[in-house]
Amino acid sequence: MRSSGRNSRGSGSGGKNYRGAGNRRDEQQQRAGRPRPEERRYDVGDGPKAGPKAGPKGGGPKAGPKGGPKAGSQGGGPRGGSQSGGPRGGSQGGGPRTGGPSAGGPKAGGGRGRKPGPARPREYEAQIEERNRARHDKPRVKLPKTFGEQEGERLQKVLARAGMGSRRACEDLIDQARVEVNGKIVTEQGMRVDPEKDEIKVDGLTVATQSYLFFALNKPAGVVSTMEDPDGRQCLGDYVTNRETRLFHVGRLDTETEGIILLTNHGELAHRLTHPRYGVQKTYLAAIQGPLPRDLGKQLKSGIQLEDGYARADHFRVVQNTGKNYLVEVSLHEGRKHIVRRMLAEAGFPVDKLVRTAFGPIALGDQKSGWLRRLTNTEVGMLMREVDL
């Protein structure tokens, strides 16, 4: 056992000679520009992670006494890459030049980089910002209509905004050939229209665009039929405050008469609804005292002589009778001042209470006194058809 130990110790010199030969071979490979075997096997990079692993094999603390200055230059210290810091091994390392004097010394090693340069002055920064804004704020190039957006809105979108239903439902209306634009039935989807200029109808009724407003008010007794009253009395304008656009009333009702009165910003429609040429019919309920003769309706339809000419009723009927109290319905297309009151008074039956229950196709219904409601698109269409709009 001891002899074998001596043999092993004796062979130590051979090992030492072998290590010395290995060092000489490394120097020869370095002169020839060839990397060491371990450097071919391992890619040693820069930074703190590569430093500790490269130390023992790449000329760190253990390789310093044996390798001399050449081996030290190949290792680059504990943080440098293999052969990346020395004068000769700068091009042989696996990573970038970060460890040795040729790469900037200790300040350049470990991935720290160079010192930051001086900050740019604020004036220069402001000039850069102005140039960037000028580049992005250039006037938009106006493309031809062929390439740009088409004019107008899609028909189904206009119909949906007017309250005809969802866009899908409006597309179904177009597919069913129920929509017409400027007198022509639309059969294809995607048509573009101008709501302000084009005449759009559904089932023969004109569709009101968003720019026009139509309201029906149940005017209470004692309210003046004006939008403003200089004497401070209650007027129609008190019921339509906080509106985006100015409204005006269609026709009038005397102060003591209740019932429906229309408000709109559509000037042409309002003019035609009150013009005698179009003869829009109004219906009233009047409370009078009886007994009534059987031919009272015939007298009113034949015409009553008034101070400003004859006045004729289109329709007359007794709605309710309780003793001497009668509730009668009178319809006529005239719009002269106090026309119903004057006709019944001339026939010998003064009116105790008067309510207008319908203006053309728009009925008062169960709308409460003082309430304002927006007309539906169907009602607006019926009004426009009434006056050929």
Side-chain angles (χ1 to χ4, degrees):
M1 296 295 291
R2 292 182 179 177
S3 61
S4 62
R6 285 195 300 267
N7 294 334
S8 63
R9 285 196 299 270
S11 62
S13 60
K16 181 177 181 181
N17 295 333
Y18 178 77
R19 285 196 298 271
N23 290 336
R24 288 194 298 273
R25 186 168 60 251
D26 291 343
E27 293 176 5
Q28 294 173 359
Q29 290 178 352
Q30 184 177 1
R31 293 192 187 100
R34 289 178 293 179
R36 295 170 58 182
E38 59 268 25
E39 293 170 357
R40 291 198 300 266
R41 289 195 298 268
Y42 302 97
D43 184 11
V44 181
D46 59 342
K49 295 183 179 180
K53 293 182 181 180
K57 293 184 180 181
K62 292 184 180 180
K66 297 290 183 180
K70 294 181 181 179
S73 64
Q74 294 174 6
R79 292 184 181 270
S82 64
Q83 298 184 4
S84 61
R88 295 184 180 180
S91 61
Q92 297 176 9
R97 298 180 181 179
T98 56
S102 62
K107 294 182 179 180
R112 293 186 180 87
R114 301 178 182 176
K115 279 188 176 181
R120 292 183 293 194
R122 292 185 178 180
E123 293 79 4
Y124 184 64
E125 295 285 352
Q127 292 177 4
I128 295 176
E129 182 67 20
E130 289 180 1
R131 285 200 303 266
N132 292 337
R133 289 185 179 181
R135 185 171 65 251
H136 293 288
D137 292 345
K138 290 181 180 180
R140 188 175 180 182
V141 179
K142 189 174 181 181
L143 298 176
K145 295 182 180 179
T146 307
F147 303 98
E149 296 182 357
Q150 300 181 13
E151 295 182 354
E153 297 182 74
R154 292 185 179 274
L155 180 58
Q156 59 266 34
K157 183 178 179 181
V158 176
L159 293 175
R161 190 176 64 238
M164 300 302 298
S166 64
R167 291 192 185 182
R168 179 58 185 165
C170 295
E171 291 176 357
D172 294 339
L173 292 176
I174 297 174
D175 292 335
Q176 297 167 8
R178 298 170 58 186
V179 182
E180 58 181 283
V181 177
N182 298 328
K184 296 182 180 180
I185 297 178
V186 180
T187 57
E188 296 182 359
Q189 301 289 345
M191 180 179 181
R192 291 184 174 270
V193 296
D194 185 353
E196 302 295 333
K197 298 178 180 179
D198 296 328
E199 183 184 37
I200 306 171
K201 293 185 178 182
V202 176
D203 296 333
L205 300 179
T206 303
V207 175
T209 59
Q210 193 177 22
S211 59
Y212 293 117
L213 300 176
F214 306 89
F215 294 95
L217 171 69
N218 186 356
K219 185 186 87 66
V223 177
V224 183
S225 294
T226 58
M227 303 306 293
E228 296 180 1
D229 185 66
D231 298 331
R233 295 174 295 178
Q234 191 175 13
C235 61
L236 300 178
D238 298 333
Y239 295 90
V240 291
T241 56
N242 300 326
R243 296 291 171 186
E244 296 180 357
T245 182
R246 180 178 178 273
L247 301 175
F248 44 87
H249 52 88
V250 181
R252 292 177 180 271
L253 287 175
D254 60 84
T255 304
E256 297 305 322
T257 301
E258 305 176 27
I260 188 171
I261 187 169
L262 302 181
L263 305 170
T264 183
N265 62 345
H266 196 303
E268 181 62 22
L269 177 63
H271 170 70
R272 294 194 181 193
L273 288 174
T274 55
H275 198 282
R277 172 186 174 185
Y278 296 95
V280 179
Q281 192 177 79
K282 299 93 173 173
T283 302
Y284 299 83
L285 280 178
I288 58 178
Q289 298 290 325
L292 301 181
R294 292 184 177 182
D295 61 345
L296 178 59
K298 186 177 181 180
Q299 294 179 28
L300 295 175
K301 292 178 182 179
S302 299
I304 301 293
Q305 179 66 41
L306 302 177
E307 57 185 10
D308 53 353
Y310 272 93
R312 295 179 177 84
D314 299 331
H315 176 75
F316 175 85
R317 71 185 180 98
V318 176
V319 177
Q320 185 178 350
N321 172 224
T322 305
K324 293 183 178 181
N325 299 321
Y326 284 83
L327 189 63
V328 298
E329 183 182 78
V330 181
S331 298
L332 68 167
H333 61 271
E334 295 192 41
R336 283 181 279 176
K337 185 177 180 180
H338 300 164
I339 185 66
V340 177
R341 291 181 182 272
R342 289 193 294 157
M343 287 176 64
L344 291 174
E346 188 66 25
F349 303 96
V351 175
D352 297 331
K353 185 177 181 180
L354 187 64
V355 178
R356 183 158 71 184
T357 59
F359 192 106
I362 311 302
L364 182 63
D366 57 355
Q367 186 175 345
K368 296 182 180 179
S369 179
W371 281 34
L372 181 76
R373 72 175 181 89
R374 189 164 185 169
L375 298 183
T376 65
N377 188 75
T378 302
E379 290 176 321
V380 174
M382 290 188 297
L383 275 176
M384 291 187 172
R385 184 172 61 181
E386 189 81 12
V387 292
D388 300 332
L389 275 179

